[in-house]
Amino acid sequence: MNNKISIIVPCYNQAQYLDECLQSVLEQTYENWECIIVNDGSPDDTEQVAKKWIEKDNRFQYLHKENGGLSSARNAGITMAKGTFILPLDADDKIGSKYGELALKEFDKDQNLKVVYCLAEKFGDESGSWGLKDFSLLNLSKKNMIFCTSFFRKKDWAEVGGYDVNMIYGLEDWDFWISILKKGGNVIRLNEVCFYYRIKNVSMLKGLSDVNKEKYLYDYLSKKHTDFFIENLGSFNYLNDKYEQVNSSYKQILNDKRKIIDLFCRTFFRFTFFNSKF
């Protein structure tokens, strides 16, 4: 019970979901937790909702700051946190009651364990399991498969300088996992659904459809983690060479198919013309 969990809940314009989110925290079977609600300069009634929960249970705490974005809000909450283990939780999502209990059991088994996450389900505008690829550094170099609501040690967060506030348009979780895992450490996914991800018509990820924002993020990640991407995917020259080889191969296949189609058409028309004469 000495291993305190600090659950960090940034909130910006999501007060309507906050009760449901914090209720899932209150129902944790592992009781040695604190929950820091970070009001990131939200113009809605986040403060009023948060104060209700502070009065209900003194494990809930409240922090108000000027708007600085998701990374900034998480960093502010984690800086304030007293827990050994951190769990970020977006204000519109939920966690299962046994998440903390199961995660800490895994951390107790392995001192080299850096991240614990779980199976996840979607709710809201969509429902069903959230199918993500298994973790490996190779898979992580291609796309993130560890959602933000995963456990890690506060000391690992401190060693990499926290969440990068330059990731202002999204993908901050991908950047963070690369930062803490690229030099080693184990990752475990619990074989139990303990995270519930709300799907809404409008979200930050869907907002990433802006090509310029997307390019900025990928360019930034490529420069920051060049060593990681080269180690797992190969050098950019190597990748470009492979791309050229594949592209050339497809062009040849396409050219061969055109020849076959052309031969078929000429044969068909000759046959049709010949039969029409008789």
Side-chain angles (χ1 to χ4, degrees):
M1 291 296 290
N2 292 326
N3 290 324
K4 177 172 279 190
I5 293 171
S6 294
I7 302 170
I8 313 300
V9 183
C11 195
Y12 183 82
N13 273 348
Q14 294 186 331
Q16 69 268 38
Y17 306 117
L18 191 53
D19 281 335
E20 197 173 358
C21 171
L22 299 182
Q23 181 63 39
S24 74
V25 173
L26 187 64
E27 293 172 355
Q28 290 299 293
T29 56
Y30 185 83
E31 297 181 347
N32 189 21
W33 54 263
E34 63 177 358
C35 180
I36 302 172
I37 307 159
V38 183
N39 183 342
D40 191 32
S42 184
D44 62 8
D45 59 343
T46 292
E47 184 167 335
Q48 288 74 20
V49 177
K51 285 183 176 179
K52 179 180 68 176
W53 285 90
I54 293 168
E55 293 170 1
K56 181 181 294 189
D57 192 309
N58 61 14
R59 290 175 294 180
F60 290 103
Q61 301 177 51
Y62 178 71
L63 172 65
H64 182 275
K65 63 182 287 296
E66 291 185 4
N67 180 255
L70 187 54
S71 291
S72 173
R74 285 183 187 157
N75 286 340
I78 297 172
T79 299
M80 178 178 166
K82 298 181 176 66
T84 303
F85 300 96
I86 304 296
L87 180 69
L89 175 60
D90 289 347
D92 55 343
D93 295 330
K94 301 184 295 184
I95 52 175
S97 61
K98 295 174 66 178
Y99 199 10
E101 177 187 346
L102 295 174
L104 261 64
K105 285 180 180 179
E106 298 300 330
F107 279 113
D108 285 342
K109 296 176 189 175
D110 183 1
Q111 291 303 307
N112 199 37
L113 183 59
K114 285 196 172 181
V115 179
V116 175
Y117 68 119
C118 61
L119 300 178
E121 286 187 0
K122 296 178 285 187
F123 73 107
D125 290 340
E126 294 180 23
S127 61
S129 61
W130 189 9
L132 297 166
K133 284 190 175 182
D134 293 339
F135 169 79
S136 70
L137 289 179
L138 176 60
N139 283 341
L140 186 64
S141 69
K142 298 175 182 177
K143 189 176 183 180
N144 184 33
M145 76 293 296
I146 306 176
F147 38 77
C148 72
T149 305
S150 303
F151 284 89
F152 55 88
R153 290 182 171 88
K154 182 175 178 177
K155 68 179 183 67
D156 290 327
W157 166 86
E159 284 179 6
V160 301
Y163 287 91
D164 192 334
V165 295
N166 292 302
M167 304 294 289
I168 53 177
Y169 303 123
L171 303 185
E172 67 287 327
D173 302 316
W174 191 17
D175 168 72
F176 182 68
W177 301 131
I178 291 172
S179 295
I180 69 172
L181 293 170
K182 66 181 181 180
K183 293 182 180 178
N186 297 330
V187 176
I188 281 183
R189 182 175 65 186
L190 302 171
N191 193 31
E192 186 162 332
V193 176
C194 293
F195 177 56
Y196 300 89
Y197 179 59
R198 187 186 299 272
I199 302 294
K200 304 191 295 289
N201 287 328
V202 179
S203 70
M204 181 180 287
L205 283 176
K206 291 180 180 178
L208 204 59
S209 58
D210 186 310
V211 174
N212 291 329
K213 292 179 180 179
E214 186 177 26
K215 184 178 185 304
Y216 164 80
L217 290 173
Y218 278 98
D219 286 351
Y220 184 82
L221 279 173
S222 297
K223 293 172 185 175
K224 181 177 179 180
H225 299 297
T226 302
D227 55 341
F228 172 75
F229 289 116
I230 288 177
E231 182 177 348
N232 289 279
L233 293 174
S235 70
F236 299 120
N237 284 336
Y238 171 80
L239 291 174
N240 184 65
D241 183 57
K242 288 296 180 184
Y243 168 79
E244 292 293 341
Q245 290 179 25
V246 171
N247 192 39
S248 176
S249 176
Y250 277 122
K251 284 182 178 178
Q252 184 61 49
I253 292 171
L254 183 59
N255 189 44
D256 290 343
K257 284 184 177 180
R258 283 174 177 165
K259 289 179 181 178
I260 292 170
I261 293 171
D262 182 59
L263 177 61
F264 171 81
C265 290
R266 282 189 281 113
T267 303
F268 176 78
F269 286 124
R270 284 175 183 171
F271 178 78
T272 304
F273 177 75
F274 177 78
N275 284 343
S276 67
K277 294 179 68 176
F278 298 94

